[in-house]
Amino acid sequence: MARAHIKPKTETKVTRYTYDEIKEPRTPETGHTPLLPAEEQVVTLPMDNGWSKAIQVGKLPDGDERPVVVDMDPAADPVLFWAGKRNRRHVPVLPLQRNEIVSESRIAQIIERARRAAEERSGAARQGHLFADLEKTLRESDRGKRVEFYTHEEGWKNKLICGDSLHVMESLLHYENLRGKVQMIYIDPPYGIKYNSNFQQRVDSTKNDEKDQADDVLTIKAFRDTWALGIHSYLSYLEERLYLCRELLAETGSIFVQMGDENSHLTRNLLDEVFSADQFVAEVVFHKTSGKGGSGLDAVFDRLLWYAKDKTTLKYRQLYMPRPQHTLQEQYTLVELPDGSVRRITEEEKAGITNLPFSARRFMPGDLSSQDENASGCQQFKVGGKTYKVPAGRHWPPEAAVKRLHQRDRLLGIGETLRYKRYADDFPLAQYTNIWDDTVISGFASAKLYAVQTSPKVIERCIAMTTDPGDICFDPTCGSGTTAFSAERLGRRWITCDTSRVAINVARQRLISCTFEHYKTRNGKISGNFLYKTVNRVTLKSLAYDLEPEKVELVDQPVVDKDAIRVCGPLEVMSLGRYSVEDWKGYVVREPGIGEAAMLENYIEVICRLYRKNAAIQGATGLVHAVAENEKQKIAISVGPLSGRVTAKQINDAVQDALSSGILDVHVLGWAFEANVGEVKSALEKRGKVKVELIMIRPDTLAEGLKATQPEMLFSPLALPDIKVDAITNGKVKQIRVSLEGVALFDRKNRTTAWKPADSGYVSAWYLDEDYDGDCFVDCQMFFDFKKTPNIKATLKAEVDPSEFTLKLTSEPFPVRGYKRVAVKVVDVYGNESVVVRDLA
């Protein structure tokens, strides 16, 4: 007997989803944004939705221009009111800045090395990248295009943005041209106004230390200043963002707002106002792991408030679940036995105490008739010796169709009515309702990456119901990145943002350490949709007219390609801000003394005086903003932007301005710095006698109400990572290997900066750009501890070194490339980032 030919198993492909065919305007890279025209710097956000027509508006005394509701006609347009409610707001518009491109996922590199080790058994150095061709397209070699941003198009990349959602959304509308293009928005705002319940202080822990306040100025501002009026401020916060969400949504789009018990009633009123009560779709309740209900019952579910941009054009994809047991018990109450007899199911069988007889089929009596009379339909039919007539005002199918049902033993007389047998297995599924009781994932609580984290199953269900592959999903409350993770898994484009750098780094690590199933597409592209699993649905029509059963697509169950494993696609890490000198003159409120009124002080003046009390503020021109002088030294002070990074150009120009005044000591203060400032500092100091100090402004300097006045408590030298670069030879090829030696960490309790070894537990992650171009950091190698080791051994048929899933301190060897310099970015456990650049030439 001849042996059957066994097809050899092909190697599992490693894939990713990209969207090169979808074009978007090129976003400026760090340091390339000029000053915008004054009329483009602030836009007016209308927040009335028509209700302002029903009210009278007055003004506060003393020239305060904010509109205040003084009267309204509830019969005309009832709305929710609170202290400080406004019907418009002026919002500053800041363009997005591309700081970093994640061109490859860490798990993809681990897979590649495991395969090479299996093939070569020699530990040979990596010669390239799994997605090297793609990475080349992400590096823009034409520097002119970096300056001429928003005039060139490029392939879409998903977006992880650090910044306030209000300004992020305004930028997406104003600069990124996304008005009316977002298909789904999922927003999980704080349920209340408690600080600790909504924020996480460390990347590596979901538990907060009450004594250790978060080191993040934006987040502190959000949870202190924003909630100044308690629930009233909370509603203003939501209102502003919901109006912007409405502008982003496509006409077919949906928004889901996740809420708990505390404020869901107020939030629904607010959504009625913003989107109109007519656009309410459903309120979904879903089970969560646990929760305390105060002095009453425990809270074990949360709510999803679902609204449409326009219900008449709403994109909705029906989802199905296995038929619940209670519907079988309540609806399918008859059983057909193997001998053809029919009886009711007993109470013991309903309760599962006794089983149904073997081969018995549960069914319910389905309606054979339809509305309206029809002369061509069957008027009467005889079953079991009894003649049944069609009810008045209704009709049956044609006689041939009814006969066909009879031949298939599908007809059943009940009383004076003729019915058809609708078996439970005709379609074993049921449509989802607004109660989701299957959303608690076993072990989910212990696997949380963030203090507040929703089960992916909830968000994936919302995505599957309201979007198609390639549609845009937006989450203005990133947290652990669950919406981005779920959208990535289902082949949707995504944008998410957060004020917390801890959240941004948790989300980034989560995305680049995951593997996903690869789904088969209809035409090789995501835009052509996936192939989905199907289930046969036997209907009255298919039985009566001898048709094939209907094929029902399960749009939440794409067909899996078992010969492929998928990793995260390319994404860009972005921030908000402009870098022009004119934009740095923002204002902060000085905390008033007893009997004093609050005063507005110039931002640059405040920072300079905090740094040196005797600082003499300079004029509006130039980059030396202040000069501090005593018997021992004379220093020039340059202050970086409140909403951006200190650029290499600012440092260079500040030094030139100082030298022109005969000052050789220059201190540049900033909240954040570009990656290449270290090499710029070294280059300037090599040219002459000038000394450049780069000083980090502590993030909570202004958020503390300016109570701390000691400079050593507010400022610290910029802590650049300590790295070692070695040249090695692999055969005849010269390669480079980078090692992380240590990092300077700021102790928030003691207000001191101390050097920590790389293996001390304070490094959350570090990233390597093997060919840094001076503008945008491209992640070529990534190192951090996996929260959970992925099970890829069986899929890849290759052994993976366990150390691959830990924080390695030495990079893989790589060749010297075009720019001949490397950059290393280190993220500490508090989410703070610092970058050092080394020239390889």
Side-chain angles (χ1 to χ4, degrees):
M1 180 177 176
R3 297 181 65 182
H5 176 68
I6 300 177
K7 183 180 179 180
K9 180 174 176 58
T10 59
E11 184 181 70
T12 302
K13 297 175 292 185
V14 179
T15 65
R16 71 197 313 179
Y17 291 150
T18 58
Y19 306 92
D20 290 335
E21 73 277 9
I22 301 174
K23 301 300 180 184
E24 62 173 335
R26 174 174 292 281
T27 302
E29 294 180 352
T30 302
H32 289 291
T33 313
L35 181 66
L36 298 173
E39 64 272 13
E40 293 187 22
Q41 293 181 14
V42 177
V43 297
T44 299
L45 171 62
M47 297 181 294
D48 56 28
N49 201 22
W51 59 259
S52 61
K53 298 174 184 177
I55 63 175
Q56 296 178 4
V57 176
K59 290 184 178 181
L60 291 172
D62 302 325
D64 193 327
E65 296 296 323
R66 290 177 299 170
V68 178
V69 175
V70 295
D71 189 24
M72 68 163 295
D73 180 4
D77 203 355
V79 293
L80 188 67
F81 285 97
W82 60 86
K85 183 173 184 176
R86 294 174 285 181
N87 67 345
R88 60 182 46 82
R89 171 175 171 169
H90 300 304
V91 181
V93 187
L94 302 173
L96 295 175
Q97 301 280 326
R98 176 189 294 160
N99 304 320
E100 178 181 347
I101 293 178
V102 182
S103 65
E104 193 169 14
S105 87
R106 184 181 176 195
I107 193 69
Q109 295 178 347
I110 291 173
I111 292 169
E112 180 188 18
R113 287 195 289 271
R115 284 181 167 166
R116 291 204 170 173
E119 292 172 359
E120 301 172 11
R121 299 296 178 189
S122 61
R126 184 167 57 99
Q127 299 300 315
H129 297 276
L130 187 62
F131 301 104
D133 290 340
L134 177 61
E135 186 197 329
K136 291 176 184 176
T137 68
L138 297 178
R139 289 185 186 269
E140 178 54 68
S141 58
D142 184 353
R143 286 182 173 262
K145 289 186 177 181
R146 294 176 179 173
V147 179
E148 298 170 5
F149 50 89
Y150 297 126
T151 61
H152 299 276
E153 289 191 334
E154 61 184 10
W156 171 273
K157 287 176 286 296
N158 293 321
K159 306 180 194 311
L160 181 60
I161 306 169
C162 185
D164 188 295
S165 57
L166 186 73
H167 304 299
V168 169
M169 285 191 276
E170 199 60 77
S171 184
L172 295 175
L173 290 166
H174 199 68
Y175 294 115
E176 303 296 318
N177 196 30
L178 289 177
R179 187 184 303 273
K181 295 182 180 179
V182 174
Q183 181 56 37
M184 190 210 78
I185 296 176
Y186 193 98
I187 177 170
D188 180 11
Y191 291 171
I193 58 177
K194 295 178 182 177
Y195 176 83
N196 256 0
S197 65
N198 304 301
F199 179 69
Q200 181 172 315
Q201 294 173 349
R202 292 173 61 112
V203 177
D204 58 347
S205 174
T206 60
K207 296 181 179 179
N208 293 333
D209 183 350
E210 293 276 349
K211 301 176 182 178
D212 193 13
Q213 290 294 343
D215 193 10
D216 193 315
V217 64
L218 290 175
T219 305
I220 286 180
K221 181 176 176 57
F223 286 97
R224 290 184 187 170
D225 299 348
T226 304
W227 308 146
L229 298 178
I231 189 62
H232 304 276
S233 296
Y234 177 81
L235 290 170
S236 293
Y237 166 92
L238 278 179
E239 180 195 32
E240 294 167 354
R241 285 152 181 80
L242 289 174
Y243 272 105
L244 287 172
C245 285
R246 190 184 69 176
E247 295 302 305
L248 284 169
L249 275 181
E251 292 302 309
T252 57
S254 295
I255 181 170
F256 295 88
V257 181
Q258 182 176 327
M259 271 284 143
D261 288 342
E262 190 173 355
N263 290 311
S264 63
H265 59 302
L266 297 175
T267 305
R268 180 160 177 184
N269 279 329
L270 186 54
L271 283 161
D272 281 347
E273 176 184 324
V274 175
F275 288 90
S276 167
D278 293 340
Q279 304 308 326
F280 171 74
V281 180
E283 179 173 334
V284 178
V285 296
F286 65 90
H287 281 218
K288 60 181 181 179
T289 50
S290 62
K292 294 296 182 182
S295 59
L297 300 172
D298 282 352
V300 295
F301 71 87
D302 281 339
R303 295 172 170 86
L304 286 178
L305 302 174
W306 177 11
Y307 281 72
K309 177 71 174 288
D310 183 350
K311 280 175 67 173
T312 63
T313 57
L314 175 68
K315 180 183 287 188
Y316 175 62
R317 308 291 181 244
Q318 181 65 59
L319 302 185
Y320 298 91
M321 60 181 174
R323 183 180 289 112
Q325 188 65 31
H326 70 87
T327 63
L328 278 175
Q329 296 173 354
E330 294 167 3
Q331 299 174 8
Y332 292 84
T333 56
L334 300 176
V335 60
E336 182 181 272
L337 302 176
D339 61 3
S341 59
V342 171
R343 65 170 174 80
R344 288 196 172 273
I345 291 177
T346 66
E347 292 300 321
E348 290 78 9
E349 289 169 337
K350 281 186 179 180
I353 299 173
T354 59
N355 295 325
L356 290 171
F358 182 73
S359 295
R361 300 179 71 185
R362 298 183 76 146
F363 71 93
M364 64 181 293
D367 197 345
L368 184 64
S369 65
S370 303
Q371 286 185 348
D372 300 327
E373 295 183 359
N374 185 345
S376 64
C378 184
Q379 299 300 308
Q380 61 181 28
F381 198 82
K382 189 174 184 179
V383 175
K386 183 176 181 178
T387 299
Y388 297 88
K389 293 183 178 180
V390 66
R394 300 182 68 83
H395 72 274
W396 283 338
E399 186 172 355
V402 177
K403 285 182 177 179
R404 195 172 291 114
L405 290 170
H406 186 49
Q407 292 167 357
R408 294 183 171 182
D409 195 22
R410 283 280 184 158
L411 295 181
L412 177 70
I414 298 180
E416 300 299 319
T417 307
L418 187 61
R419 302 275 186 159
Y420 85 97
K421 298 176 185 175
R422 183 174 169 183
Y423 294 111
D425 55 12
D426 281 346
F427 187 57
L429 305 178
Q431 296 183 2
Y432 270 104
T433 65
N434 67 341
I435 298 178
W436 298 351
D437 57 5
D438 61 342
T439 52
V440 177
I441 301 175
S442 177
F444 179 74
S446 61
K448 274 191 175 183
L449 303 173
Y450 203 68
V452 281
Q453 182 174 339
T454 303
S455 163
K457 184 181 287 189
V458 175
I459 302 178
E460 287 176 10
R461 194 164 292 164
C462 296
I463 292 174
M465 281 196 308
T466 60
T467 70
D468 291 323
D471 284 344
I472 299 177
C473 301
F474 173 57
D475 185 349
T477 51
C478 175
S480 66
T482 302
T483 299
F485 173 87
S486 300
E488 185 74 40
R489 194 179 88 79
L490 294 178
R492 272 66 168 178
R493 292 180 287 156
W494 54 266
I495 305 169
T496 188
C497 64
D498 206 294
T499 58
S500 168
R501 289 169 296 186
V502 169
I504 295 299
N505 280 289
V506 168
R508 172 169 51 190
Q509 288 186 26
R510 183 181 185 184
L511 286 162
I512 63 179
S513 62
C514 285
T515 60
F516 307 92
E517 293 175 322
H518 181 85
Y519 303 128
K520 294 182 178 180
T521 57
R522 298 180 191 272
N523 62 358
K525 295 182 180 180
I526 293 182
S527 57
N529 212 332
F530 295 133
L531 292 171
Y532 296 103
K533 294 180 181 178
T534 60
V535 174
N536 288 339
R537 175 157 56 189
V538 177
T539 63
L540 175 62
K541 182 178 179 180
S542 65
L543 292 168
Y545 296 96
D546 200 23
L547 303 174
E548 290 292 324
E550 177 188 354
K551 295 287 185 183
V552 176
E553 284 191 335
L554 307 181
V555 296
D556 57 342
Q557 298 184 45
V559 176
V560 176
D561 183 349
K562 297 187 180 299
D563 293 329
I565 185 172
R566 181 163 56 90
V567 298
C568 181
L571 61 99
E572 48 192 353
V573 183
M574 313 179 87
S575 61
L576 286 164
R578 283 191 292 268
Y579 302 97
S580 305
V581 179
E582 291 86 346
D583 288 318
W584 303 349
K585 298 166 188 168
Y587 291 87
V588 294
V589 177
R590 187 184 69 182
E591 189 172 51
I594 298 176
E596 292 181 357
M599 294 178 59
L600 288 178
E601 292 191 341
N602 184 277
Y603 155 64
I604 290 179
E605 181 178 350
V606 170
I607 296 298
C608 290
R609 291 272 166 77
L610 285 172
Y611 186 61
R612 291 289 187 271
K613 289 184 178 181
N614 63 339
I617 308 303
Q618 303 300 293
T621 61
L623 281 167
V624 172
H625 299 117
V627 175
E629 186 176 5
N630 56 33
E631 296 178 356
K632 296 182 180 180
Q633 66 176 168
K634 183 177 182 180
I635 64 173
I637 303 172
S638 183
V639 182
L642 184 61
S643 58
R645 300 177 180 230
V646 171
T647 66
K649 186 177 187 301
Q650 178 187 347
I651 296 172
N652 181 76
D653 291 352
V655 168
Q656 302 310 317
D657 287 351
L659 289 175
S660 66
S661 301
I663 304 175
L664 300 179
D665 200 352
V666 182
H667 292 202
V668 183
L669 318 179
W671 307 90
F673 289 79
E674 265 190 4
N676 59 343
V677 294
E679 63 175 346
V680 172
K681 164 182 157 68
S682 299
L684 288 169
E685 290 178 335
K686 286 179 181 178
R687 293 178 192 169
K689 298 179 180 180
V690 67
K691 182 180 179 183
V692 181
E693 294 287 350
L694 304 179
I695 306 297
M696 180 73 74
I697 307 171
R698 295 312 311 159
D700 52 3
T701 297
L702 298 182
E704 293 286 355
L706 306 183
K707 293 177 183 177
T709 57
Q710 297 301 315
E712 63 270 17
M713 298 175 65
L714 303 177
F715 304 90
S716 60
L718 176 63
L720 298 177
D722 187 4
I723 65 172
K724 180 181 178 184
V725 180
D726 295 314
I728 61 175
T729 302
N730 182 16
K732 295 183 179 180
V733 180
K734 184 179 179 180
Q735 294 187 311
I736 300 297
R737 177 183 284 133
V738 177
S739 300
L740 180 63
E741 301 284 299
V743 64
L745 190 81
F746 184 76
D747 187 322
R748 292 177 292 182
K749 293 180 180 178
N750 300 317
R751 297 285 167 178
T752 57
T753 300
W755 187 88
K756 302 287 185 181
D759 60 356
S760 60
Y762 287 99
V763 174
S764 170
W766 65 286
Y767 306 91
L768 170 64
D769 187 340
E770 301 172 353
D771 191 29
Y772 181 60
D773 64 6
D775 287 322
C776 188
F777 190 99
V778 178
D779 292 16
C780 299
Q781 296 191 44
M782 295 141 274
F783 307 96
F784 50 82
D785 285 324
F786 277 64
K787 298 293 183 182
K788 181 180 179 181
T789 302
N791 183 19
I792 58 176
K793 178 180 176 181
T795 304
L796 300 176
K797 307 298 182 185
E799 293 287 340
V800 180
D801 186 341
S803 68
E804 291 280 16
F805 304 113
T806 62
L807 179 68
K808 298 171 70 174
L809 301 180
T810 302
S811 75
E812 295 297 314
F814 58 93
V816 177
R817 300 197 189 140
Y819 290 104
K820 293 184 173 58
R821 57 182 169 181
V822 298
V824 170
K825 174 180 292 187
V826 178
V827 181
D828 68 27
V829 292
Y830 299 109
N832 298 311
E833 298 181 3
S834 53
V835 181
V836 64
V837 180
R838 289 287 175 84
D839 196 329
L840 302 178

